[in-house]
């Protein structure tokens, strides 16, 4: 039973067959429905090429990526630093803990109209949306990790006369990094949602804007082409997250 | 300072060096819990003192106070005349739970204390292999702790402490988590290492045999709150080795310590129910 799936060619061809069937179904049913509801694969691919040839798609991808990375990288840096600080400073932790739980539980999309009314419709508002989408998952996991540093290990560090800086370098950060990476994996997807939400709800731009634009032109194939690109971005981000986690896994003896 | 004390000692005709560690009137409370009280002990240079006592009597707490990880509530602990309020250079501790950093290799773990002490890269690179070899871990330099057995992890913890070339080595049940055979091997290796470079060693253990085998003196902690019930001089011939275990005096001393502790252990068992 197992040995069947050990064979690479068999695994690969099953995999390919799955994709092929999906493509055929898309092509068949996409062609049958009303064009204002759907589009077949071939039309989507054609539209994709068209959007690339006039440069619209690249612009949209670049716009979205820029928003994504500026927003999410800031969120990761801020959240991990704040989380580590909170674990070392009791008054920060006690003072903020409740708010973090509240905000972590709040669907961030509900905050978008508020952000729009405060920050108007520029890049700052969109940045804030993406930042907030990505911030709390990272913060929550960082806190979780930093809190789980064993007091015995802090004692070891103190016994060897570690200063605060060395304590972060040798104990706090290495211990917390895997948790931060879990936070990044969770936040990466959310931040992408944040990008599209900001582009829909704050002002039209990037891939979110392209989807709206194509819909306005009654081009479902254009909408699908844009969604496909977003899917690819999501997959790429998940892959990056997993590679990072695997690299950190060496000392944990995990082979994933 | 130490010159003065030596001069005083000489003047008063004692001619002995002052104790390296002096604990006087020491007591420790965690909140309402009085762990130990009125402990008076002196540990000399080149001396191994073992500390036995029932579980929960405050052996680890006492070591923490000696290491300066926490202050005593009453009395004082002095090492080479200095009041211990924080960890001090020249004092190193081996932990019962090993306390290795899982993300550091053996080499990095052993070099940890040296790096913190500001020792140069070159010197660390030179010293670490020596101590890795000393504890018999050669060949495992770039291995992570999870890839080591319990006994090997404790060797690594020992090498990390020895690399500091401490004048005081504090050991908290270092061999409690390893199997009996490994334990015996480690005991004799530690004695061999100590002989090469004698220092003040405070060795906490659950095992009466180990206490008698390793110690020049055995301190028995007893009572709730605990204090020093008895200090037993171990007059066994040096060097201690496997033949010591067969020495008639060894059996006598072991029985003596055992009898001293037994009442307490029995009482502790009833406490738990
Ligand atoms: N940080 C702490 N806060 C409060 N109580 C503590 C703390 N550490 C230890 N205790 C308590 O103090 C007592 C002595 O603990 P300690 O760990 O020193 O005992 P021990 O002799 O080392 O025990 P064992 O032989 O099991 O290691 C115990 O009752 C323990 O519950
Ligand atoms: Mg203990």
């Amino acid at each position: 039973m197992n040995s069947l799936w050990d064979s690479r060619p068999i695994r690969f061809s099953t995999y390919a067959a799955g994709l092929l069937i999906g493509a055929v179904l898309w092509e068949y049913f996409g062609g049958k429905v009303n064009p204002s509801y759907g589009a077949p694969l071939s039309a989507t691919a054609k539209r994709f090429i068209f959007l690339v040839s006039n440069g619209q798609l690249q612009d949209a991808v670049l716009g979205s990526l820029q928003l994504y990375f500026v927003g999410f990288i800031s969120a990761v840096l801020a959240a991990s630093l704040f989380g580590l600080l909170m674990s070392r400073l009791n008054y920060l932790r006690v003072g903020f803990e409740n708010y973090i739980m509240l905000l972590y539980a709040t669907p961030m999309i509900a905050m978008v109209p508020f952000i729009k009314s405060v920050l108007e419709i520029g890049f700052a508002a969109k940045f804030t949306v993406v930042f907030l989408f990505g911030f709390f998952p990272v913060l929550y996991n960082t806190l979780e990790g930093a809190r789980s540093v064993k007091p015995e290990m802090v004692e070891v560090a103190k016994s060897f006369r570690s200063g605060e800086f060395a304590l972060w370098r040798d104990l706090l950060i290495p211990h917390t990094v895997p948790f931060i990476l879990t936070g990044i994996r969770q936040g990466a997807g959310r931040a992408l949602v944040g990008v599209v939400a900001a582009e829909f709800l704050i002002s039209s731009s990037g891939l979110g804007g392209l989807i709206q634009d194509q819909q306005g032109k009654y081009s479902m194939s254009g909408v699908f082409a844009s969604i496909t690109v977003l899917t690819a971005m999501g997959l790429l981000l998940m892959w990056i997250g997993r590679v990072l986690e695997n690299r950190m896994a060496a000392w944990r003896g995990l082979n994933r | 300072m130490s010159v003065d004390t030596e001069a005083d000692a000489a003047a008063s005709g004692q001619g002995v060096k002052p104790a390296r560690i002096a604990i006087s009137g020491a007591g420790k409370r965690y909140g309402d819990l009085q762990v130990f009280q009125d402990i008076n002990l002196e540990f000399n240079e080149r001396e191994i003192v073992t500390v036995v006592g029932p579980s929960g009597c405050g052996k680890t707490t006492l070591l923490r106070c000696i290491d300066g990880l926490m202050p005593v509530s009453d009395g004082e602990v002095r090492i080479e005349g200095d009041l211990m309020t924080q960890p001090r250079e020249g004092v190193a501790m081996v932990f019962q739970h090993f306390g290795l950093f899982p993300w550091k290799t053996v080499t990095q773990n052993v070099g940890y204390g040296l790096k913190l002490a500001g020792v140069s890269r070159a010197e660390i690179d030179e010293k670490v292999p020596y101590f890795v070899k000393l504890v018999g871990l050669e060949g495992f330099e770039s291995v992570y702790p999870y890839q080591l057995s319990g006994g090997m992890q404790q060797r690594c913890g020992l090498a990390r402490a020895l690399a500091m070339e401490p004048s005081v080595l504090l050991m908290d049940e270092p061999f409690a988590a390893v199997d009996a055979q490994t334990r015996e091997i480690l005991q004799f290796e530690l004695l061999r290492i100590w002989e090469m470079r004698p220092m003040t060693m405070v060795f906490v253990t659950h095992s009466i045999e180990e206490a008698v085998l390793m110690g020049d003196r055995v301190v028995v902690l007893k009572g709730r709150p605990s204090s020093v019930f008895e200090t037993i001089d171990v007059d066994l011939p040096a060097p201690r080795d496997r033949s010591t275990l067969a020495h008639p005096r060894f059996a006598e001393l072991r029985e003596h310590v055992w009898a001293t502790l037994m009442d307490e252990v029995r009482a502790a068992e009833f406490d738990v129910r």
Side-chain angles (χ1 to χ4, degrees):
Chain A
M1 189 63 221
N2 261 342
S3 57
L4 182 66
W5 298 109
D6 284 345
S7 146
R8 272 185 91 95
I10 291 181
R11 266 218 325 251
F12 182 77
S13 43
T14 311
Y15 190 68
L19 284 180
L20 190 67
I21 292 170
V24 168
L25 288 178
W26 182 1
E27 184 62 27
Y28 179 72
F29 289 106
K32 291 201 102 173
V33 299
N34 183 329
S36 53
Y37 298 147
L41 176 59
S42 55
T44 304
K46 232 180 266 168
R47 190 70 184 173
F48 179 89
I49 291 163
F50 168 75
L51 289 172
V52 171
S53 68
N54 74 6
Q56 242 182 312
L57 191 61
Q58 293 94 310
D59 287 351
V61 168
L62 279 180
S64 292
L65 277 181
Q66 190 193 359
L67 178 58
Y68 181 85
F69 280 109
V70 174
F72 188 49
I73 289 175
S74 318
V76 168
L77 292 178
S80 35
L81 184 64
F82 189 57
L84 290 169
L85 272 175
M86 271 180 76
S87 76
R88 293 297 296 162
L89 301 170
N90 271 329
Y91 54 90
L92 265 188
R93 185 169 57 77
V94 176
F96 281 101
E97 211 159 31
N98 291 325
Y99 294 111
I100 287 160
M101 278 312 295
L102 283 178
L103 285 167
Y104 184 62
T106 307
M108 274 303 138
I109 195 129
M111 307 284 279
V112 175
F114 164 70
I115 293 164
K116 187 176 178 180
S117 64
V118 174
L119 292 171
E120 314 277 303
I121 56 169
F123 184 78
K126 289 183 196 167
F127 167 85
T128 307
V129 171
V130 177
F131 182 92
L132 286 178
F133 269 75
F135 183 78
F136 289 98
V138 179
L139 179 60
Y140 183 82
N141 283 283
T142 306
L143 276 175
E144 198 81 327
R147 220 199 307 261
S148 65
V149 171
K150 292 212 180 78
E152 298 105 86
M153 290 309 292
V154 177
E155 202 167 62
V156 170
K158 283 203 181 137
S159 176
F160 282 94
R161 296 156 47 83
S162 172
E164 184 70 17
F165 172 79
L167 185 79
W168 282 54
R169 181 194 59 198
D170 296 318
L171 179 57
L172 192 55
I173 293 177
H175 175 90
T176 312
V177 160
F179 293 85
I180 296 179
L181 285 175
T182 305
I184 290 178
R185 260 201 308 117
Q186 284 175 14
R190 290 213 197 180
L192 193 59
V193 176
V195 166
V196 179
E199 289 168 346
F200 278 171
L201 302 172
I202 304 249
S203 69
S204 199
S205 71
L207 282 164
L210 186 61
I211 290 174
Q212 286 178 319
D213 170 69
Q214 294 300 302
Q215 191 186 22
K217 291 173 177 153
Y218 304 104
S219 167
M220 271 303 126
S221 54
V223 171
F224 282 165
S226 314
I227 293 173
T228 311
V229 174
L230 276 170
T231 305
M233 277 172 64
L235 285 175
L236 187 70
L237 291 168
M238 273 168 59
W239 178 77
I240 293 174
R242 201 158 41 218
V243 168
L244 283 176
E245 265 194 324
N246 281 347
R247 291 201 58 176
M248 301 305 299
W251 55 262
R252 291 193 288 175
L254 307 173
N255 287 314
R256 277 182 301 167
Chain B
M1 173 69 208
S2 74
V3 176
D4 281 356
T5 351
E6 268 175 50
D8 287 351
S12 63
Q14 292 168 3
V16 250
K17 286 202 168 179
R20 182 164 266 154
I21 307 177
I23 304 171
S24 46
K28 180 68 192 177
R29 276 185 303 276
Y30 291 116
D32 288 338
L33 176 72
Q34 180 86 40
V35 181
F36 57 74
Q37 65 185 15
D38 196 32
I39 290 193
N40 297 287
L41 284 170
E42 294 203 335
F43 305 120
N44 302 316
E45 278 176 53
R46 305 168 145 259
E47 183 180 40
I48 302 179
V49 179
T50 51
V51 180
V52 289
S55 198
C57 77
K59 302 182 295 294
T60 298
T61 304
L62 181 62
L63 280 192
R64 282 194 186 123
C65 293
I66 297 175
D67 197 26
L69 287 167
M70 48 170 60
V72 283
S73 316
D74 308 296
E76 57 177 44
V77 176
R78 284 178 188 274
I79 295 185
E80 283 163 6
D82 297 340
L83 214 50
M84 291 305 287
T85 49
Q86 58 183 34
R88 183 185 194 282
E89 220 184 315
V91 182
M93 184 133 149
V94 176
F95 298 85
Q96 180 174 359
H97 53 82
F98 311 142
L100 301 177
F101 296 96
W103 44 83
K104 289 185 189 286
T105 61
V106 166
T107 297
Q108 290 166 340
N109 268 296
V110 173
Y112 173 70
L114 295 172
K115 187 168 136 195
L116 287 182
V119 175
S120 74
R121 221 355 334 134
E123 205 176 324
I124 294 177
D125 289 345
E126 189 196 312
K127 275 190 172 174
V128 166
Y130 171 78
F131 288 99
V132 167
K133 186 150 184 274
L134 188 66
V135 299
L137 278 181
E138 67 263 72
F140 294 93
E141 288 83 355
S142 46
V143 143
Y144 290 97
Y146 79 91
Q147 294 165 297
L148 297 174
S149 69
M152 288 157 93
Q153 292 189 32
Q154 196 53 290
R155 285 164 194 264
C156 184
L158 181 60
R160 177 176 64 181
L162 290 173
M164 304 305 290
E165 298 177 82
S167 53
V168 174
L169 185 60
L170 306 173
M171 310 270 272
D172 189 7
E173 304 194 31
F175 308 141
V178 301
D179 64 87
Q181 239 177 319
T182 310
R183 179 177 196 143
E184 201 168 286
I185 293 167
L186 287 172
Q187 286 167 348
F188 291 120
E189 279 186 17
L190 181 61
L191 285 172
R192 173 181 62 83
I193 290 168
W194 185 85
E195 229 113 87
M196 282 165 55
R197 194 179 160 282
M199 76 243 347
T200 305
M201 185 152 100
V202 183
F203 191 109
V204 163
T205 175
H206 257 117
S207 155
I208 295 169
E209 292 223 347
E210 187 169 71
V212 175
L213 175 69
M214 308 283 295
D216 297 316
R217 285 188 290 154
V218 179
V219 170
V220 181
L221 292 181
K222 217 171 134 166
R224 260 165 213 277
S226 68
S227 50
V228 177
F229 180 78
E230 196 180 349
T231 302
I232 299 146
D233 284 314
V234 181
D235 46 0
L236 286 167
R240 311 273 169 88
D241 51 31
R242 286 221 69 202
S243 71
T244 311
L245 295 169
H247 204 284
R249 184 70 185 137
F250 177 79
E252 269 174 46
L253 286 163
R254 190 187 57 202
E255 289 314 302
H256 177 83
V257 178
W258 191 78
T260 311
L261 271 171
M262 195 183 63
D263 297 343
E264 182 78 5
V265 171
R266 206 176 268 158
E269 268 171 11
F270 282 116
D271 263 11
V272 176
R273 312 287 147 196

